[in-house]
Amino acid sequence: APTSPRAHRSLTAEQRRTFRTTVAELEKMRLRCSPDGLVLEVLAGMVDFHRRARAELERSGAWGPGARGGEVTSPAWRVFRDSGTEIVRVASELGLTPSARNRVSTGVPADDDDDWASDLFS
């Protein structure tokens, strides 16, 4: 029987909140599994980095003065961009993106009474 993964104590309060929220969503989808804890930790960390980088971008902007006088991209922009990409990749691994949900199998047999498409065309 699948069990819910537990957040590691090294996660921050905000990361644990993201972890628990994601586990709750996986439970609704019948996709939770305790070995997913490590992947969920990565996701929680990336969401935290993404939010912190966004806050920094809102505070200081995406560009700033470079060492040679021109404008350069803020390091926060790279963290924001890269963490966003990683969030989508990890979320896809967990079946949390629209395209991933099309590929996910829960192992639960389909209920014939819920086959609305057959009913529609019969």
Side-chain angles (χ1 to χ4, degrees):
T3 58
S4 295
R6 293 183 164 256
H8 192 269
R9 66 181 173 270
S10 65
L11 297 180
T12 67
E14 187 62 33
Q15 291 167 350
R16 280 193 301 275
R17 195 171 7 267
T18 298
F19 187 101
R20 286 190 305 267
T21 300
T22 307
V23 167
E25 288 302 316
L26 290 170
E27 287 175 348
K28 288 179 194 174
M29 298 166 62
R30 297 181 176 174
L31 296 176
R32 75 182 186 288
C33 185
S34 60
D36 292 342
L38 292 173
V39 178
L40 288 162
E41 286 179 25
V42 171
L43 179 64
M46 288 296 104
V47 169
D48 185 41
F49 287 166
H50 192 72
R51 289 176 177 158
R52 289 171 38 206
R54 182 180 59 220
E56 176 62 24
L57 287 170
E58 289 171 359
R59 187 186 66 73
S60 64
W63 297 274
R68 297 185 183 149
E71 293 250 323
V72 295
T73 305
S74 165
W77 167 250
R78 288 189 289 281
V79 172
F80 180 77
R81 179 197 61 206
D82 294 348
S83 61
T85 299
E86 190 67 3
I87 288 166
V88 172
R89 187 188 70 75
V90 174
S92 179
E93 289 291 323
L94 292 166
L96 296 171
T97 63
S99 62
R101 283 192 297 276
N102 287 329
R103 297 187 310 264
V104 170
S105 171
T106 63
V108 176
D111 184 352
D112 289 338
D113 292 337
D114 290 338
D115 190 0
W116 60 270
S118 294
D119 294 341
L120 183 63
F121 296 109
S122 47

